[in-house]
Amino acid sequence: QVQLVESGGGLVQAGGSLRLSCAASGSLVRINVMGWYRQAPGKEREMVALISSGGSENYADSVKGRFTISRDSAKSTVYLQMSSLKPEDTAVYYCEADTRSTLGAPVPFRYWGQGTQVLVSA
């Protein structure tokens, strides 16, 4: 089992910044990809950013140039630095960890955190 604990959400004005953290624990030997998804009210959960154990990254078009994902393997922690936040970034952000072989591969198994709320005011 893998446990994921997010932190760092909150309320911020448009144009501001937030940094999300996700600490992973448990049986991590098969985990290759970690990342962030988000779900806004009335919408489906969507990928925000992913990072592999080798350092490859993938971003949703809507956040490219504004968000940066990073990973501290020694601490089993993944971060999401969010800048130039917009009201449309408001959502619950979920940390995810999975066993896919590469960023473009199917996901055999994944784990989710409990989510952290990000609210961006206009």
Side-chain angles (χ1 to χ4, degrees):
Q1 286 291 334
V2 172
Q3 295 78 43
L4 303 172
V5 179
E6 302 106 329
S7 60
L11 173 63
V12 63
Q13 288 187 333
S17 299
L18 278 176
R19 187 194 196 206
L20 305 183
S21 299
C22 172
S25 62
S27 181
L28 304 178
V29 64
R30 295 174 58 210
I31 297 299
N32 180 36
V33 174
M34 295 185 69
W36 294 92
Y37 290 68
R38 67 186 181 187
Q39 187 166 19
K43 295 187 177 181
E44 294 187 353
R45 191 173 298 189
E46 62 176 357
M47 186 276 291
V48 176
L50 301 171
I51 186 167
S52 72
S53 57
S56 298
E57 301 172 10
N58 191 23
Y59 295 92
D61 288 341
S62 59
V63 307
K64 283 180 181 177
R66 300 188 298 121
F67 291 10
T68 301
I69 191 169
S70 59
R71 184 170 177 171
D72 185 336
S73 296
K75 296 181 179 179
S76 300
T77 300
V78 64
Y79 305 95
L80 185 68
Q81 179 66 47
M82 305 184 293
S83 303
S84 302
L85 282 161
K86 305 175 181 179
E88 50 263 45
D89 294 318
T90 294
V92 177
Y93 284 70
Y94 295 91
C95 180
E96 185 258 14
D98 66 62
T99 60
R100 77 185 89 179
S101 57
T102 63
L103 291 181
V107 182
F109 200 82
R110 62 178 10 136
Y111 299 91
W112 294 101
Q114 80 286 356
T116 185
Q117 177 73 54
V118 171
L119 182 60
V120 184
S121 62

